[in-house]
Amino acid sequence: MDAISFVLGIKSSHLRSAHLRDLVYRGRVLRTSKLNGDGSITTDGVNGHAGGDAGTVSEEGIISTQEGGDPKCAWVMAVYEDDAGDEQYWKRTITNQGASEYRINDRIVTALQYNETLEAENILIKARNFLVFQGDVEAIASQSPRDLTKLIEQISGSLEHKAEYESLKEQAEAALENQTYAFHRRRGINSEIKQYTEQKNEADNYSKKADERDQAIVTHILWKLYHFQKVIEESGAEIQRHQEELKEQRRSMEKCDKVLEEAKKEHAKVGRDVSNLERNIKHKEKDIEAKENDLVPIAEKIDITTNNLDKCKTRVSDITKERNIHSATVKQLTKDLKVVDKAQTQWENDFRKTAEQEGRELSDADLHRYNRLKDDVNRRTSGDQIKVDNITQQLKADEETVKSLKSKVDALEWQAQKLEEEIEDISERKDTTNDQIKQTTRDINAKKRAYNERTSERLRTAQLRTEKDEKLQEVLTKLLEAEDGRQQSEKELRLKATVADMKRMFPGVRGRVSELCKPIEKKYQTAVSTVLGRNFDAVIVENEKTAIECIQYLREQRRGQATFIPLDTIQFAAINSNIKGQHRGCRLALDTINYDRSLERAFLYVCGNAVICDDLRIAKSMVWERRNDVKAVTLDGSIIHRGGNMTGGQGSKQDSRRFDDSELDNLRKLQERLVSELSALPDSRRGASEEETLQGELTGLEQKLMYLKGELEARERNQSSKQRELSHIRQELATTKPKYEGKLREYHHLERTLQVYEDAVSEVQDEVFADFCLSLGFSDIRAYEAQQGTLQQESAQKRLEFSTQKSRLESRISYERQQLQETEKRIKALEDRARHDEALIKELKSEQKSLQGGLDALSVELDQLMEQLEREKANHGQKAEKVAEQRREVQKWSKAVNTTLKTISGFEAERQLKASARYTLLRRCKLEDIRIPLGGTSRGLDQLPLDVVVPTDPDAMEGEESQEESNLQPSDVQDYGIQINFDDLDEDLRESSDDDVDGELQDRIKTLNAELETMAPNMRAVERLGAVQDRLKNTDREFEDARKGARRAKDDFVAVKEKRFELFSKAFSHISEQIDPIYKNLTRDASLPMGGQAYLDMEDGDEPYLDGIKYHAMPPLKRFRDMEHLSGGEKTMAALALLFAVHSYQPSPFFVLDEVDAALDNANVTKIANYIRDHAGPGMQFIVISLKTGLFHNSEALVGIYRDQGANSSKALTLDLRKYQ
């Protein structure tokens, strides 16, 4: 049990020792060594060698020894054979360090992989569903309800969810407490708002004393607005002048675009024609293949039908010869019969002449005397004479009957012999046909295997080709999408080459910022490129020295300018950690890129405290509402700067696309690899032709097999007919031959009877005719009568011979004529079949000719299409060259347009900058409630929008130059309907826009502010009120988050609870259903056929795993009692029933029981043995350790363990009992 438990992963703490090294057997060492006082071992000249016994873990273990021979390692290997017959070798070793090493099929694995392999075979180590230790039965019988619950949890797997269940339960309770805390906090903030509202009313009096300062501010703002308006108007005039030039340039470019579009349409049209031709060629090729495929089976059918026709003709020839033989035989037999008739007639004539010549004539007296004596004899022998006449007459009739029966028997025997010869010949031909069928079947199977292999290979290749084509098409699509509009400028290419040269020359050059970082998601590309700004192409170097060397290199080589970021001297502001987590849709720009951590200083410098927001609303909240000193960038590239100004529009996509350079390289490499793999795949056409050949051969063989089977059926029918005919003849022979033999015996008996009566008549004749015969010179009257009767007897004998010979000839003639008729029928059937085959061949050849004609026509059409394709491809190349030429012309005009647009953009940027400053001032007036003089028709400042994005920051990325028609006119500067009244502005302020005037106006405002500060009003109440209101908003969000978190925690907890309950209930239901029939099976016998009763009782129905499960068992003829009140045997039977029920839920392929029958009597042992034998099978093996003979008798094999005293080790004996059962 230790060895089995050890190799199947049981912890050492569950075995006989707390440490693995203590499991190593040391009996051999101790027998040949002595133990020193310090615990070491001294070997008496013999090295210790550990071996395994019934209680150790080393079965055939290889043991390493130390200096004193003390074994330090051992191993156990289990060989497991599954239902399919595959073997697995599971091995666990105690290493020299006292640790476990696991191997599966001699491959080292981890303990987790080892356990997973065992669990795959349903061997659960934690639940120990594969073995029962010696004390487990007693422990189960006396275990508490909670221990039984734990056992079911281990078996069901719900115990694995216990930790998650308890953790989620704690989280749900904590989330509920958090929700309660947020609710009380919100109530307290509402009280603070009420207090600060009262203080705000006191601060309102202060605003009345700030009018003078406000007027100074208004004057300063009017001065700025006046000069902003002046610059806007002057820039608009310049833009108008340049836009006239732009119109002319665009008209020229539009003409080139139209020509280019026409060239593209012609090129696309020719391309479509080429594609259509290629598609038509493919269709023609498929049609040709289809025609060729149709021709193959027709040719095979023609060959097979021709062969069958030849066979029919050969067979007709053979049967015709047989018919001629039968016809000649009939003629010969008829001729012989005529010869016999003629011979009989000749004999009759000769006989009459002889009788006339040899007959003696008596005198009248002698004749009278002879008649008188004859009458006397007749009177004396009248009775005997009558009997002689009757018997003689009867003999003649019987003689004819015997001759007739003899002729019939001879004819039947001859027919039977002939039929036996024909049946034997048919059997030989049938055996030959069977051999041909078997050989053809083998050929068909071989062809089918080859065809299936070829088809499978073609389908696998086609599938592989399709998959690779799809991957290649996907890669090409991605390349086209990625390269759409990707035209790197000459400046970018020079910069890229320059950085590559510097990286080769100076080891400290790390690369450009855009090459060294990459957004974690594609949606951040535009935002990250906006954040990087002018540092997008900056070069990161190791130190300042490398940067100086690179700048010197650029100056000497005149390679342009570049910005360098030295990692050792770069200065950057610390990241504000408070920004993180303020909003779910906002994150630091540094957190949205992947980069090497050794370059962190450089990316801290280029990113700073910039944040990336999902939309503009979140960006405004981060900068304006939360007052964070950050630069907020949205996903579409809009910016809110630290100063509050905004930049918007469509940023340049070129920088964001450059993040995909590495992906493009990978895509191109993948494209090359896929193209090479596709070219390496075998040609599908060659495989298709081989398949067609195999299919044609297979069709021919199947036709041949069909004809052979038809021929075999015909031979079997013929043989069956001959057998029935032979059986009928033998039946007639069996009936006729006994009749013949009986008649022959009667005939001989009559002859003997006749002889007796003739002797009696002869005695009377000798007495009466004595004197008469003496006077005539005859010895007796019979001699005289013999002279006269010999001729009659010879005549009768001769006539009998003639009659017999004629009867035999007539019988043979009748049989031969019957055979001749059957032969004629067979010849007619074969001739009909031959005519059908000839018609079929003619039809097939006609169809073959038609298909061949269609194939030739398709081949001609294919050649014509190929020639047309070559011409169209040449035309396609010419159109492509024309498109390229027009593109170059369009690019030339596009460059001129871009130059003009840049000039216009400069003026437009100046206008927008001033417009943005003007809007900022107006917005400030609205936000700070500064009242400026407005015109009579002007709209109020309250109608000024606050969320307008206007590009004003000179550090911001310039917007992409639009090619839309709207740029032909100066962009309107939005004044939002607000007209400023500059009448109150002095003339000297209108004429001067110097910074000195701005300083004077601001100094005046500062002086007024200082005077207001001396009044020291309590103005913080308003700010505190706003802060408390913000806190209330945050608290409301926190309360809502806490409420949602509590709901999520509760949902997660309920999901785990339901999962745990489902697993536990499934196992409990199965065990509860199985426990009663198993207990009945274990406790019933002949006197108590019903057996006992057992059931499980769940204490908590909602969450049964939190409480106990009671097990109740009622032995036969006893009432229900607690387990502790049962006897030892009853407890054991109840515990075994529970074990077997638990094991039936997730049964392992084997079940090891260690002396579970110790407390059982022989009757109960027999019941246990019967149960084990009934439930053992191919998928379930029981291994029982027992000392009871009841289990021995019913087992299939015995394994005995005994101690070898000489070797001081354990040995095993195995006995297979199945051959004795």
Side-chain angles (χ1 to χ4, degrees):
M1 286 296 290
D2 285 348
I4 294 173
S5 303
F6 174 81
V7 74
L8 294 179
I10 299 299
K11 294 182 179 179
S12 61
S13 58
H14 295 286
L15 301 177
R16 305 192 184 189
S17 176
H19 302 287
L20 286 174
R21 61 170 60 92
D22 296 335
L23 295 175
V24 180
Y25 180 71
R26 297 178 174 83
R28 300 178 184 175
V29 176
L30 296 176
R31 188 173 66 86
T32 59
S33 309
K34 63 182 180 178
L35 187 64
N36 298 329
D38 57 354
S40 62
I41 297 176
T42 303
T43 304
D44 299 332
V46 180
N47 289 332
H49 180 64
D53 60 28
T56 67
V57 299
S58 62
E59 296 181 351
E60 301 180 8
I62 301 174
I63 309 303
S64 64
T65 61
Q66 290 181 339
E67 223 174 295
D70 187 18
K72 300 298 290 181
C73 67
W75 56 265
V76 177
M77 181 172 67
V79 181
Y80 173 72
E81 180 179 352
D82 57 19
D83 295 338
D86 299 329
E87 291 186 353
Q88 298 185 32
Y89 297 88
W90 302 334
K91 183 176 180 182
R92 183 181 178 186
T93 304
I94 301 175
T95 62
N96 292 331
Q97 292 76 21
S100 290
E101 180 187 83
Y102 299 90
R103 292 176 180 266
I104 297 177
N105 295 330
D106 205 25
R107 179 174 58 86
I108 297 177
V109 297
T110 63
L112 179 61
Q113 294 172 336
Y114 195 83
N115 291 342
E116 290 176 351
T117 302
L118 295 179
E119 289 177 0
E121 300 296 335
N122 220 12
I123 301 173
L124 307 179
I125 297 176
K126 293 182 180 179
R128 292 197 300 182
N129 67 333
F130 54 89
L131 57 81
V132 179
F133 284 109
Q134 184 173 353
D136 284 355
V137 177
E138 182 178 354
I140 290 174
S142 60
Q143 68 181 350
S144 64
R146 287 190 176 274
D147 292 335
L148 181 55
T149 301
K150 185 177 180 181
L151 175 62
I152 296 178
E153 275 206 280
Q154 289 177 341
I155 291 296
S156 65
S158 64
L159 189 62
E160 298 177 0
H161 300 279
K162 181 179 180 181
E164 185 181 5
Y165 170 90
E166 295 174 351
S167 174
L168 291 176
K169 186 176 182 180
E170 292 176 359
Q171 292 177 12
E173 294 173 352
L176 183 60
E177 292 178 0
N178 189 22
Q179 179 183 357
T180 304
Y181 169 76
F183 174 77
H184 290 299
R185 185 181 175 191
R186 185 177 65 170
R187 179 181 295 178
I189 292 176
N190 285 328
S191 299
E192 290 184 25
I193 289 176
K194 184 178 180 181
Q195 178 183 356
Y196 286 124
T197 303
E198 295 174 354
Q199 295 180 3
K200 175 181 175 296
N201 295 330
E202 298 174 358
D204 290 338
N205 297 326
Y206 173 77
S207 60
K208 298 178 182 179
K209 300 178 182 181
D211 292 339
E212 186 178 357
R213 183 201 56 188
D214 293 341
Q215 186 59 40
I217 293 174
V218 167
T219 302
H220 181 241
I221 291 174
L222 285 175
W223 176 79
K224 282 189 173 183
L225 290 173
Y226 177 82
H227 290 288
F228 290 160
Q229 186 68 30
K230 185 178 180 180
V231 172
I232 289 171
E233 293 173 354
E234 292 173 353
S235 299
E238 289 295 323
I239 290 173
Q240 187 67 34
R241 185 175 62 83
H242 284 87
Q243 283 178 345
E244 293 299 328
E245 299 176 359
L246 181 63
K247 289 180 181 179
E248 294 296 330
Q249 294 172 351
R250 284 193 169 175
R251 278 194 287 268
S252 300
M253 189 174 69
E254 286 173 358
K255 293 179 181 179
C256 293
D257 283 334
K258 291 180 180 178
V259 176
L260 177 61
E261 288 300 323
E262 292 297 329
K264 284 183 177 179
K265 289 180 180 178
E266 294 178 0
H267 180 259
K269 181 180 179 181
V270 176
R272 288 192 296 271
D273 294 338
V274 171
S275 300
N276 292 332
L277 284 173
E278 291 177 346
R279 189 161 51 250
N280 291 335
I281 288 172
K282 288 183 180 179
H283 290 329
K284 291 297 180 183
E285 290 176 347
K286 289 183 180 178
D287 294 339
I288 290 173
E289 290 181 3
K291 293 288 185 182
E292 291 175 350
N293 293 340
D294 293 339
L295 281 173
V296 171
I298 291 176
E300 292 293 334
K301 289 180 181 179
I302 290 174
D303 293 339
I304 293 171
T305 309
T306 303
N307 292 334
N308 292 332
L309 180 60
D310 294 339
K311 290 180 180 179
C312 287
K313 290 181 177 179
T314 303
R315 187 64 180 156
V316 167
S317 177
D318 295 339
I319 296 176
T320 301
K321 292 178 181 179
E322 185 178 347
R323 181 192 62 183
N324 295 334
I325 292 172
H326 286 300
S327 179
T329 303
V330 170
K331 291 180 180 179
Q332 183 64 38
L333 290 174
T334 304
K335 184 178 180 181
D336 293 343
L337 181 60
K338 291 180 180 179
V339 171
V340 171
D341 289 337
K342 186 176 181 181
Q344 184 177 6
T345 303
Q346 181 67 33
W347 176 81
E348 290 287 349
N349 296 328
D350 294 341
F351 177 76
R352 284 193 298 270
K353 292 178 181 179
T354 304
E356 292 175 358
Q357 293 174 1
E358 293 183 358
R360 289 183 61 183
E361 295 182 1
L362 296 177
S363 63
D364 293 336
D366 293 335
L367 183 59
H368 177 74
R369 186 182 177 187
Y370 171 77
N371 291 330
R372 184 175 54 78
L373 293 175
K374 186 70 174 176
D375 292 336
D376 186 20
V377 170
N378 289 335
R379 284 192 302 270
R380 294 176 60 181
T381 61
S382 60
D384 293 335
Q385 189 67 41
I386 292 171
K387 290 181 179 179
V388 168
D389 294 338
N390 292 335
I391 291 173
T392 302
Q393 188 177 4
Q394 183 67 31
L395 276 176
K396 289 181 180 179
D398 288 348
E399 183 179 5
E400 292 295 330
T401 302
V402 168
K403 289 180 180 179
S404 176
L405 290 174
K406 179 68 168 61
S407 175
K408 187 175 182 180
V409 167
D410 293 339
L412 289 173
E413 287 179 348
W414 181 83
Q415 290 179 7
Q417 182 180 0
K418 185 72 173 178
L419 286 173
E420 286 175 353
E421 293 176 356
E422 291 179 356
I423 290 173
E424 184 177 359
D425 180 61
I426 292 173
S427 297
E428 291 177 356
R429 293 183 181 180
K430 191 172 73 172
D431 292 339
T432 303
T433 306
N434 278 324
D435 294 339
Q436 292 177 351
I437 289 174
K438 291 179 181 178
Q439 182 62 38
T440 305
T441 304
R442 286 194 293 270
D443 294 341
I444 289 174
N445 293 333
K447 293 294 182 183
K448 282 185 177 179
R449 285 194 297 271
Y451 178 75
N452 292 335
E453 291 174 359
R454 179 61 60 187
T455 304
S456 300
E457 180 65 22
R458 180 178 61 79
L459 292 176
R460 187 189 67 80
T461 304
Q463 183 179 3
L464 189 61
R465 183 182 295 277
T466 302
E467 292 175 356
K468 293 191 179 299
D469 282 337
E470 291 176 355
K471 290 181 180 179
L472 181 60
Q473 188 63 34
E474 183 179 354
V475 170
L476 292 175
T477 302
K478 289 181 179 179
L479 282 173
L480 289 175
E481 291 176 355
E483 292 178 350
D484 185 22
R486 176 186 281 278
Q487 297 293 334
Q488 291 184 330
S489 66
E490 184 179 354
K491 179 180 177 182
E492 291 174 354
L493 295 174
R494 286 201 306 269
L495 179 59
K496 191 173 182 180
T498 300
V499 174
D501 293 339
M502 288 191 295
K503 288 174 72 174
R504 288 195 300 270
M505 296 175 63
F506 306 107
V509 178
R510 303 298 293 273
R512 291 188 297 169
V513 171
S514 59
E515 296 173 347
L516 298 175
C517 70
K518 186 177 181 181
I520 58 177
E521 294 184 28
K522 198 168 185 178
K523 66 178 182 178
Y524 296 129
Q525 287 185 353
T526 301
V528 170
S529 62
T530 304
V531 170
L532 296 180
R534 65 169 65 92
N535 292 317
F536 193 87
D537 287 322
V539 181
I540 300 176
V541 295
E542 292 287 351
N543 47 52
E544 185 177 2
K545 180 182 178 183
T546 304
I548 294 172
E549 291 175 350
C550 291
I551 292 172
Q552 185 66 26
Y553 168 77
L554 294 176
R555 185 182 297 114
E556 293 174 354
Q557 299 295 325
R558 297 183 179 179
R559 301 290 292 270
Q561 294 181 349
T563 301
F564 294 90
I565 302 176
L567 293 174
D568 60 340
T569 59
I570 193 68
Q571 300 296 324
F572 56 88
I575 296 294
N576 185 3
S577 60
N578 295 328
I579 299 174
K580 294 184 178 180
Q582 288 191 10
H583 198 285
R584 183 179 300 173
C586 176
R587 60 205 57 79
L588 287 171
L590 195 66
D591 295 336
T592 63
I593 58 175
N594 291 323
Y595 58 89
D596 190 350
R597 291 304 168 187
S598 63
L599 308 176
E600 188 171 8
R601 290 175 58 85
F603 286 104
L604 285 171
Y605 166 73
V606 298
C607 294
N609 278 328
V611 296
I612 295 179
C613 305
D614 290 347
D615 52 39
L616 190 60
R617 180 183 58 81
I618 299 173
K620 290 190 295 184
S621 174
M622 292 297 296
V623 177
W624 293 341
E625 296 178 5
R626 300 177 186 268
R627 303 290 182 182
N628 290 314
D629 186 19
V630 296
K631 179 181 179 180
V633 181
T634 63
L635 295 179
D636 61 359
S638 300
I639 311 169
I640 299 180
H641 299 276
R642 291 184 177 89
N645 57 321
M646 300 172 62
T647 302
Q650 182 65 40
S652 176
K653 295 182 179 179
Q654 189 66 25
D655 290 337
S656 62
R657 285 176 180 159
R658 282 154 62 186
F659 284 120
D660 299 332
D661 286 342
S662 59
E663 294 183 4
L664 284 175
D665 293 338
N666 293 334
L667 287 174
R668 292 190 183 98
K669 291 179 182 177
L670 180 58
Q671 177 191 4
E672 294 175 358
R673 181 170 62 82
L674 289 174
V675 170
S676 62
E677 290 177 355
L678 280 172
S679 61
L681 290 176
D683 187 8
S684 59
R685 295 183 180 179
R686 183 178 61 187
S689 63
E690 294 179 359
E691 284 184 30
E692 292 167 4
T693 303
L694 289 172
Q695 189 175 9
E697 294 176 355
L698 186 61
T699 303
L701 289 173
E702 289 176 348
Q703 291 287 343
K704 180 180 179 182
L705 180 62
M706 182 179 67
Y707 287 126
L708 287 174
K709 287 183 178 179
E711 186 176 352
L712 180 62
E713 291 177 359
R715 294 188 188 281
E716 288 178 348
R717 288 194 299 270
N718 191 13
Q719 184 181 20
S720 177
S721 176
K722 296 291 184 184
Q723 289 283 5
R724 288 194 300 272
E725 186 177 355
L726 178 61
S727 175
H728 177 68
I729 290 174
R730 285 177 176 173
Q731 187 176 2
E732 283 193 15
L733 185 62
T735 304
T736 306
K737 196 169 184 179
K739 290 182 180 180
Y740 163 71
E741 293 175 352
K743 285 294 182 182
L744 184 63
R745 286 194 297 272
E746 291 178 2
Y747 179 79
H748 291 316
H749 177 69
L750 286 174
E751 283 183 340
R752 289 192 296 272
T753 304
L754 179 62
Q755 186 65 39
V756 172
Y757 287 111
E758 285 180 348
D759 290 343
V761 173
S762 297
E763 290 178 0
V764 175
Q765 287 177 346
D766 290 341
E767 179 181 353
V768 173
F769 285 100
D771 295 338
F772 179 77
C773 292
L774 182 64
S775 63
L776 294 177
F778 291 96
S779 59
D780 52 33
I781 192 62
R782 286 182 298 281
Y784 168 76
E785 291 177 351
Q787 182 181 358
Q788 299 295 323
T790 299
L791 294 176
Q792 299 296 330
Q793 291 179 358
E794 289 178 357
S795 172
Q797 181 65 30
K798 199 68 175 177
R799 288 190 182 95
L800 179 62
E801 290 177 358
F802 280 117
S803 176
T804 300
Q805 190 171 3
K806 287 169 66 178
S807 176
R808 184 180 296 111
L809 289 174
E810 289 173 352
S811 297
R812 285 201 60 190
I813 289 171
S814 175
Y815 173 75
E816 289 296 335
R817 285 177 177 170
Q818 183 181 359
Q819 292 297 316
L820 182 61
Q821 292 176 357
E822 291 181 359
T823 306
E824 292 288 349
K825 291 180 181 179
R826 289 165 61 191
I827 290 173
K828 184 178 179 183
L830 288 173
E831 287 176 347
D832 293 341
R833 184 173 176 182
R835 285 192 294 273
H836 176 267
D837 288 343
E838 288 175 351
L840 180 60
I841 291 171
K842 184 177 180 181
E843 181 181 352
L844 290 173
K845 286 185 177 179
S846 175
E847 184 178 358
Q848 185 183 32
K849 184 178 180 181
S850 175
L851 289 174
Q852 187 63 43
L855 182 63
D856 295 338
L858 288 174
S859 299
V860 173
E861 292 177 2
L862 179 62
D863 294 336
Q864 294 175 355
L865 288 175
M866 293 297 291
E867 294 175 359
Q868 187 178 356
L869 178 62
E870 293 297 328
R871 293 194 299 271
E872 290 297 333
K873 283 186 175 180
N875 190 17
H876 188 263
Q878 295 174 0
K879 297 297 182 181
E881 182 62 30
K882 184 177 179 181
V883 170
E885 181 180 355
Q886 290 301 322
R887 278 180 178 168
R888 289 192 292 271
E889 187 68 19
V890 170
Q891 288 174 359
K892 182 184 73 173
W893 283 108
S894 177
K895 187 174 181 181
V897 170
N898 289 336
T899 303
T900 305
L901 284 173
K902 286 181 180 179
T903 304
I904 295 174
S905 297
F907 287 110
E908 184 64 24
E910 184 68 19
R911 292 182 78 232
Q912 294 296 333
L913 183 63
K914 297 305 180 182
S916 176
R918 179 178 181 273
Y919 169 77
T920 303
L921 284 175
L922 294 175
R923 184 176 180 277
R924 176 188 170 193
C925 292
K926 179 179 179 180
L927 294 175
E928 297 178 4
D929 198 21
I930 299 174
R931 300 183 180 276
I932 58 175
L934 301 175
T937 60
S938 174
R939 300 171 66 182
L941 289 177
D942 55 344
Q943 299 183 21
L944 180 70
L946 297 178
D947 55 352
V948 177
V949 180
V950 181
T952 59
D953 189 6
D955 294 338
M957 298 286 294
E958 290 185 359
E960 186 179 24
E961 296 170 355
S962 174
Q963 299 297 324
E964 300 295 330
E965 187 64 28
S966 60
N967 279 345
L968 290 175
Q969 300 296 329
S971 60
D972 294 332
V973 175
Q974 183 64 262
D975 58 1
Y976 308 103
I978 298 174
Q979 299 177 4
I980 310 300
N981 186 0
F982 298 106
D983 294 342
D984 295 337
L985 188 64
D986 297 337
E987 288 294 331
D988 55 346
L989 292 178
R990 293 183 182 183
E991 294 175 356
S992 177
S993 61
D994 296 338
D995 293 337
D996 295 336
V997 177
D998 183 65
E1000 291 175 2
L1001 293 174
Q1002 288 187 3
D1003 290 340
R1004 174 62 179 165
I1005 294 172
K1006 289 178 181 178
T1007 301
L1008 292 173
N1009 283 331
E1011 293 175 358
L1012 288 172
E1013 287 175 359
T1014 58
M1015 298 174 66
N1018 185 13
M1019 301 298 296
R1020 299 184 62 186
V1022 178
E1023 298 178 2
R1024 290 182 178 177
L1025 178 61
V1028 172
Q1029 290 175 345
D1030 292 339
R1031 284 172 55 199
L1032 178 61
K1033 294 180 181 178
N1034 294 333
T1035 304
D1036 287 338
R1037 285 195 296 270
E1038 291 174 0
F1039 173 74
E1040 188 66 21
D1041 293 340
R1043 187 176 64 82
K1044 293 180 179 178
R1047 183 180 300 170
R1048 285 195 300 271
K1050 182 180 178 181
D1051 294 340
D1052 295 340
F1053 169 71
V1054 169
V1056 174
K1057 175 183 175 182
E1058 291 175 353
K1059 180 65 176 178
R1060 189 180 182 189
F1061 178 80
E1062 179 184 359
L1063 292 173
F1064 187 90
S1065 299
K1066 184 178 179 182
F1068 177 81
S1069 299
H1070 177 84
I1071 296 170
S1072 180
E1073 291 173 0
Q1074 295 295 322
I1075 186 68
D1076 187 63
I1078 292 176
Y1079 186 74
K1080 289 181 184 295
N1081 194 7
L1082 292 177
T1083 56
R1084 70 162 56 100
D1085 54 20
S1087 61
L1088 299 170
M1090 297 300 294
Q1093 297 182 18
Y1095 69 93
L1096 297 175
D1097 186 17
M1098 187 186 297
E1099 295 182 359
D1100 187 353
D1102 295 332
E1103 292 185 89
Y1105 38 81
L1106 298 180
D1107 214 327
I1109 293 177
K1110 292 184 180 181
Y1111 175 36
H1112 303 279
M1114 184 180 74
L1117 301 179
K1118 293 186 179 181
R1119 60 183 178 84
F1120 278 107
R1121 288 183 293 178
D1122 292 335
M1123 190 67 69
E1124 57 267 21
H1125 296 152
L1126 299 177
S1127 65
E1130 292 172 345
K1131 286 182 181 180
T1132 301
M1133 296 297 285
L1136 286 174
L1138 179 59
L1139 280 174
F1140 290 141
V1142 170
H1143 181 262
S1144 68
Y1145 178 63
Q1146 288 184 339
S1148 63
F1150 53 86
F1151 200 24
V1152 184
L1153 305 174
D1154 184 13
E1155 295 189 23
V1156 297
D1157 57 348
L1160 299 178
D1161 55 13
N1162 292 333
N1164 286 329
V1165 169
T1166 302
K1167 294 176 182 178
I1168 295 297
N1170 292 334
Y1171 179 87
I1172 292 174
R1173 188 174 186 86
D1174 292 339
H1175 290 77
M1180 171 53 62
Q1181 179 185 16
F1182 283 87
I1183 303 172
V1184 184
I1185 300 174
S1186 176
L1187 300 175
K1188 300 295 182 67
T1189 58
L1191 286 171
F1192 296 168
H1193 295 162
N1194 292 293
S1195 61
E1196 293 183 350
L1198 294 178
V1199 180
I1201 306 298
Y1202 69 97
R1203 189 175 190 82
D1204 189 343
Q1205 298 294 340
N1208 195 23
S1209 177
S1210 297
K1211 296 294 181 66
L1213 295 174
T1214 303
L1215 179 61
D1216 188 356
L1217 300 180
R1218 289 175 293 182
K1219 57 187 178 181
Y1220 303 108
Q1221 295 177 352

